[in-house]
Amino acid sequence: MKQKFIVDIKNLNQYFGRKTLRSQILFDINLRIKYGEIVIMTGPSGSGKTTLLTLIGGLRSVQEGSLEFLGQELYGSSDEQLVKVRRHIGYIFQAHNLLDFLTARQNVQMSLELHKIIPESEACSKSEAMLNAVKLGNRINYYPHDLSGGQKQRVAIARALVSHPKLVLADEPTAALDSKSGRDVVNLMQQLAKEQNCAILMVTHDNRILDVADRIIHMEDGQLIKEVL
């Protein structure tokens, strides 16, 4: 039976440092995200938003509490299990993290190389199709230094979505963009996510894009303190 929630977090606590230097960064987090849902997380810098994103994304280990992704408990997971989890997640960051020595297509195709069963010719055609979907069909062989900020972020979106992930985690994806480019990028994420029925959890300070969310949650001092429906 398919799980109702793609992410199910209960009583999650997280700490930095050890022994006398140990300090708590997340406090009793409870959060559920449904398939196809777009959730925006707001809150001041240093409130724990990025830490929570990295835990959900399998980029660091859960220390206390329960975090289920696709019905699998991540607390106590091995590094190998976390690698498998990451294959179902697309990541989009403020710094698009493209490799300068690869073309737009090669940057997108890197995401498919995690999936060993996809032949190179198929990975190439899927990458080109995804770049067409983000309206960069005429920039397939361009290198990042020949692309604008908005175009680079669209390559990053194509890279995140080409492997049809179940969840996309976006950390300040519009922060470096002007208002029109930012709106274009978010509309594109919304459209492609709905087409693929994948969920999006987006951290942002950009009030101009809050209207794309199904839900808005707010974090302060390591706690989810309110939810705007």
Side-chain angles (χ1 to χ4, degrees), residues 87-136:
R87 288 179 185 154
H88 297 287
I89 299 174
Y91 304 89
I92 304 168
F93 302 101
Q94 175 182 342
H96 34 73
N97 293 345
L98 302 182
L99 294 176
D100 290 334
F101 56 89
L102 298 181
T103 64
R105 178 187 59 76
Q106 290 167 332
N107 267 288
V108 172
Q109 195 167 326
M110 275 185 65
S111 183
L112 292 171
E113 284 164 8
L114 289 169
H115 302 259
K116 303 274 191 278
I117 55 168
I118 299 177
E120 187 172 349
S121 58
E122 186 184 338
C124 182
S125 61
K126 282 187 173 197
S127 300
E128 291 189 6
M130 201 69 213
L131 284 165
N132 275 301
V134 300
K135 301 180 174 60
L136 285 177

Side-chain angles (χ1 to χ4, degrees), residues 17-48:
R18 296 186 176 197
K19 297 184 179 176
T20 57
L21 297 176
R22 191 183 198 217
S23 62
Q24 192 163 353
I25 185 101
L26 294 178
F27 298 81
D28 200 31
I29 302 292
N30 291 277
L31 175 66
R32 286 173 157 178
I33 299 173
K34 297 176 185 173
Y35 283 81
E37 186 177 33
I38 298 178
V39 179
I40 284 182
M41 181 159 51
T42 63
S45 296
S47 58

Side-chain angles (χ1 to χ4, degrees), residues 157-224:
I157 291 171
R159 181 182 58 191
L161 289 168
V162 69
S163 57
H164 289 256
K166 306 297 185 191
L167 174 68
V168 171
L169 298 174
D171 196 357
E172 299 283 4
T174 64
L177 304 177
D178 61 62
S179 58
K180 183 183 184 307
S181 297
R183 169 53 65 179
D184 289 346
V185 158
V186 169
N187 286 348
L188 195 57
M189 286 171 63
Q190 182 183 36
Q191 174 200 334
L192 294 173
K194 291 297 182 192
E195 286 172 6
Q196 296 187 11
N197 194 35
C198 79
I200 295 179
L201 175 59
M202 187 189 319
V203 167
T204 188
H205 287 102
D206 190 346
N207 293 330
R208 301 167 301 186
I209 62 172
L210 298 182
D211 58 297
V212 303
D214 296 307
R215 279 192 296 148
I216 299 170
I217 57 179
H218 187 74
M219 182 172 269
E220 228 163 270
D221 298 325
Q223 300 177 70
L224 286 178

